Amino acid sequence: MLDLCTLGTGGTMPMPDRALSALYARVNGRAILIDCGEGTQVGVQRLGWGMQCIDGILISHFHADHCSGLPGMLLALTKAMRTEPLHIYGPVGLTQVVNGLRVIAPQLTFPVVLHELTGQTEFELIGMKVVAFPLDHGMPCLGWRLHLPRAAAFDPSKAREADVPVHLWKRLQHGETVTEDGRTFSPEDVMGAPRPGISVLYATDTRP
């Protein structure tokens, strides 16, 4: 399951009823942020989906309303005693920007791993395939496509046709191959056709 929440939806300055750009995406208890505008940590706390579970931050570009919340977010994760590495992805210039912002967040309880991306790039994060692609914004700017694969659905009629004992169904659904009474059953005996995955596109501050 892919859960999404827009913590902020743009604008060059925060408004009483609108925060700056940030999207929270969660898959099976792990999460990423796309953009981290001023006050994003407040939005995360208000949402209540968790802060320690954030494993990556994707920065579209380096205008302040998309990245000025990074120092506060890093310090909030330190206050939560995070120790696992945090991966930050962004366009060329990411290292300079993050290191500059970290002047006010120098001591963290976890390593920060920076990934500067050029052109279209694919990588895996929290069980999703993430595709970064260039946008037209007058400065290096990336859009993001998130794709979550989905396993095939359980097919009880197929399981009955293969004469699979009911008490084995759950184990086979979880990918286990089981041998019982001299017969071997595999997940393919109970699973239907593959299902299409879930895809989300995030593209901000770009010309058509």
Side-chain angles (χ1 to χ4, degrees), residues 58-140:
L58 317 180
I59 301 297
S60 62
H61 64 288
F62 305 126
H63 283 152
D65 53 317
H66 291 261
C67 63
S68 61
L70 272 173
M73 178 59 64
L74 296 176
L75 290 172
L77 289 169
T78 286
K79 291 292 185 181
M81 298 306 296
R82 180 188 181 91
T83 57
E84 298 86 358
L86 178 74
H87 293 263
I88 303 179
Y89 299 79
V92 172
L94 177 72
T95 301
Q96 180 182 5
V97 170
V98 173
N99 287 344
L101 292 171
R102 283 199 57 188
V103 168
I104 57 174
Q107 295 182 331
L108 305 176
T109 57
F110 55 91
V112 174
V113 184
L114 302 178
H115 305 266
E116 288 197 4
L117 308 179
T118 58
Q120 182 161 314
T121 309
E122 296 186 9
F123 53 94
E124 299 284 335
L125 196 59
I126 65 165
M128 293 190 293
K129 181 175 79 172
V130 180
V131 180
F133 56 92
L135 299 177
D136 182 6
H137 189 42
M139 68 181 306

